[in-house]
């Protein structure tokens, strides 16, 4: 399903969320309006490395970021593997892959770096320079 966020459309796999599309869209609108910091949706994570990275993403508090290397270290993996898993995140925004950044740059986001920057600004998170 498509959701609107900060003037952009993102595709999310609603089959991985135990909620109807109306509830999902409502929570995204509340997030965008600033009345919701966290999503209250039950998510089915993949049973693979992507699922492990997705779970790590959900542990990053609003207003904070982690580097690909930090997540890789926590999962005993490599930063590039984490980046690839972020790219496979089937429910972006709700599972906040935008909170994972390069060590000194804003890199990689399926919705484009403009949206990644907007989401981080919206949350008050530090934003590294773009390459």
């Amino acid at each position: 399903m498509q959701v609107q966020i900060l003037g952009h459309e993102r595709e999310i796999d609603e089959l991985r969320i135990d909620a109807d599309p109306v509830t999902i869209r409502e929570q995204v609108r509340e997030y965008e309006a600033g009345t919701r910091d966290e999503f209250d949706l039950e998510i089915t994570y993949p049973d693979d490395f992507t699922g492990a990275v997705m779970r790590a993403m959900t542990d990053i508090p609003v207003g904070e970021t982690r580097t690909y290397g930090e997540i890789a270290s926590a999962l005993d993996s490599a930063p590039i593997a984490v980046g690839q898993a972020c790219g496979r995140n089937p429910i972006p925004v709700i599972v906040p892959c935008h909170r994972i950044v390069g060590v000194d740059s804003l890199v990689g986001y399926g919705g484009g770096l403009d949206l990644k920057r907007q989401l981080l600004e919206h949350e008050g998170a530090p934003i590294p320079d773009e390459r």
Side-chain angles (χ1 to χ4, degrees):
M1 72 183 264
Q2 294 284 327
V3 295
Q4 278 287 122
I5 183 73
L6 301 174
H8 299 266
E9 282 202 8
R10 287 302 324 254
E11 176 72 27
I12 63 168
D13 181 357
E14 75 275 16
L15 299 177
R16 294 209 165 267
I17 303 170
D18 188 17
D20 60 272
V22 171
T23 300
I24 296 167
R25 285 191 175 97
E26 178 181 307
Q27 288 199 19
V28 170
R29 280 192 302 274
E30 290 169 352
Y31 167 82
E32 184 176 28
T35 59
R36 172 179 293 281
D37 287 336
E38 311 236 349
F39 293 94
D40 183 20
L41 300 166
E42 189 173 327
I43 296 168
T44 302
Y45 295 93
D47 291 328
D48 58 11
F49 183 70
T50 297
V53 172
M54 288 172 66
R55 287 179 190 280
M57 290 179 217
T58 60
D59 289 339
I60 304 170
V62 174
E64 294 184 21
T65 60
R66 300 291 183 272
T67 66
Y68 294 96
E70 288 171 325
I71 299 298
S73 180
L75 297 176
D76 196 27
S77 185
I80 197 159
V82 170
Q84 291 168 341
C86 288
R88 291 187 298 269
N89 176 10
I91 39 181
V93 179
I94 295 168
V95 173
C97 49
H98 59 275
R99 294 182 191 154
I100 302 181
V101 299
V103 69
D104 61 0
S105 61
L106 186 67
V107 295
Y109 190 63
L113 291 181
D114 183 48
L115 178 56
K116 185 171 187 167
R117 176 178 292 283
Q118 287 178 296
L119 288 166
L120 292 173
E121 287 173 347
H122 178 70
E123 295 181 355
I127 301 171
D129 294 330
E130 290 183 51
R131 285 189 182 172

